[in-house]
Amino acid sequence: MKNLYIVANWKANMTQIEANNWLSELQIKNYNLSNKEIIICPPYHLLYPVHQQVMQMQLPLSLGSQDVSQYGRGAYTGEQPASLLSEYIKFCIVGHSERREKFHETDTIIAEKASLASASNLLPILCVQGADTSVPKNVKFVAYEPVFAIGSGTSDTPENAEIVAKEVRGKDKDIMYVLYGGSVTAENVASFTKMEHINGVLVGKASLDPQEFSAIIQNA
Ligand code: PGA
């Protein structure tokens, strides 16, 4: 069985109480997760409390951030450097299309972020909008996220996502896993994860509901 990575991107949502309830309502205790890694990406203010609760409840979850600084430690007010985040988390999303569009992140900035993340032993999940988006060296995880599918309720077709995933994998031997993201639900997840070159999903809106996200994990 191939490895599957199922990522919840909560974006700018959830209070501490809501996150607490979400973790209590996740129903994965009886699932076979032997080939699945579940990665929760809460907003920064929740990384530590979610980390604590995951440890306390002994939940089989990894943590990631939704972004990371392009700088290291130092006089960078408001920034979140990889070397500090790596205390609690294993992954970080880098280059999400919302960062590219709304925060003007370029391929150069994104490459700096990915490089600093790797230097601190974080695994960057680099988001691309198609096979022609540049992927920096040493990136193992790429998420194909076509802009039209994000938050629209209309996903790409699994067949097209497979074509892009295969092409992305062929670009560089460092790229080991390609995930699909964009309007993934419990209903359509298996149509993506059954594709040969797709190793998981990045889930936005549907990850906010613990029942729906549990069903995504089960159906993947
Ligand atoms: P969506 O978001 O699942 O709400 O479409 C995916 C993403 O932005 O990563």
Side-chain angles (χ1 to χ4, degrees), residues 124-191:
I125 302 171
L126 200 114
C127 299
V128 302
Q129 288 65 51
D132 49 359
T133 309
S134 92
V135 178
K137 290 298 289 173
N138 298 318
V139 167
K140 248 166 108 173
F141 291 85
V142 171
Y144 163 53
E145 297 215 309
V147 174
F148 73 82
I150 294 180
S152 67
T154 306
S155 66
D156 199 349
T157 62
E159 294 74 21
N160 192 53
E162 166 67 4
I163 291 170
V164 177
K166 189 173 176 195
E167 210 176 318
V168 169
R169 280 273 288 279
K171 276 164 73 120
D172 190 329
K173 64 172 176 25
D174 292 340
I175 302 171
M176 292 174 65
Y177 305 108
V178 179
L179 318 185
Y180 167 75
S183 297
V184 171
T185 61
E187 209 179 304
N188 67 16
V189 64
S191 65

Side-chain angles (χ1 to χ4, degrees), residues 9 11 93 96-98 127 145 149-153 181-185 202-207:
N9 176 10
K11 306 193 181 183
I93 299 172
H96 191 282
S97 59
E98 287 156 12
C127 299
E145 297 215 309
I150 294 180
S152 67
S183 297
V184 171
T185 61
L202 207 164
V203 189
K205 195 165 166 217
S207 76

Side-chain angles (χ1 to χ4, degrees), residues 83-98:
S83 55
L84 301 183
L85 293 173
S86 60
E87 262 193 289
Y88 312 117
I89 67 175
K90 179 172 170 190
F91 292 88
C92 59
I93 299 172
V94 178
H96 191 282
S97 59
E98 287 156 12

